[in-house]
Each structure stands twice: as structure tokens, then as C-alpha cells.
Amino acid sequence: QVQLVESGGGLVQAGGSLRLSCAASGGTFSSYAMGWFRQAPGKERAFVAAISWRGGNTAYADSVKGRFSISRDNAKNTVYLQMNSLKPEDMAVYYCAAKRTALPWGIPTMMIEYDYWGQGTQVTVSS
């Protein structure tokens, strides 16, 4: 069983930056592809970014390309989401997710593909 704990959310002005972290425990982190999703009030949870367990492959939602960056440190069992040039429409609860996979370069982008989820961290962007 893998436990995921997100941190780094908060209140930021539009145009600002935040870095989210997701610490994993209870499993072999380097065997998990990792993803970030977000859910705004009244909306469905949506894909934001994903990274393969090798760390070489990444994928992003069109809405965040060029502004967000996902990375991982397998030695620290942590995945990060660097968010720059934040917009009010980025405001949401951000969730970290893990998918155990034998594919070192796989980058799952659908919620149903993931096995474990964190509790989420709130990101609020003021205009």
C-alpha cells in the first residue's frame, strides 16, 4: 500500500509561482509512474501532468504546457509540480497519484489508470 502526502499549496497572486510536493511511502517509489490532477469547485477532476518512473518522459495538459513542470526525485520518494505564471483558472485542489507499472517510460494520463491517490492540497490564485 502506497501513501501519498501532498504539500506546498497556498494562496498566490496571479502571475506568481508555487511548487507542490508529493511524498510517497510504503512502496517502491521508483516503480511508480506519478501524476498530478486537479479539481476545481463544481468541475470534474482533470489531468495536469505525469512523469514516468524513469523520469525521462513527461506529459502535460494543454492548459498548463509551458507554465508547469513535473519532476521527481526517486532518492527522496518525492514528485514535484512547479507551477509558474499562475492564473485564476488554475485554482483547484491538486491531487498526487501513483501507478505501479512495469513500463519505465509510461506516462498515464487518465484517472482510471492510477492506483493510489493523496488527499489533495488547495491552490488559490487571486486576481
Side-chain angles (χ1 to χ4, degrees), residues 32-98:
Y32 288 83
M34 301 297 295
W36 287 96
F37 290 75
R38 66 186 181 185
Q39 188 166 16
K43 295 188 177 181
E44 294 186 350
R45 196 171 298 188
F47 171 73
V48 175
I51 188 167
S52 59
W53 65 254
R54 284 274 190 185
N57 276 3
T58 57
Y60 297 92
D62 288 343
S63 58
V64 306
K65 280 181 182 176
R67 300 187 297 121
F68 290 13
S69 178
I70 188 171
S71 60
R72 66 189 295 161
D73 186 337
N74 287 346
K76 295 183 178 180
N77 290 356
T78 302
V79 63
Y80 305 97
L81 184 68
Q82 178 66 43
M83 305 186 296
N84 299 326
S85 302
L86 282 160
K87 304 175 181 180
E89 52 263 42
D90 294 319
M91 184 163 59
V93 177
Y94 282 71
Y95 297 90
C96 172

Side-chain angles (χ1 to χ4, degrees), residues 37 45 97-99 108-117:
F37 290 75
R45 196 171 298 188
K99 172 183 171 59
T109 61
M110 298 176 63
M111 283 181 57
I112 196 172
E113 297 181 271
Y114 285 86
D115 303 307
Y116 303 101
W117 292 84

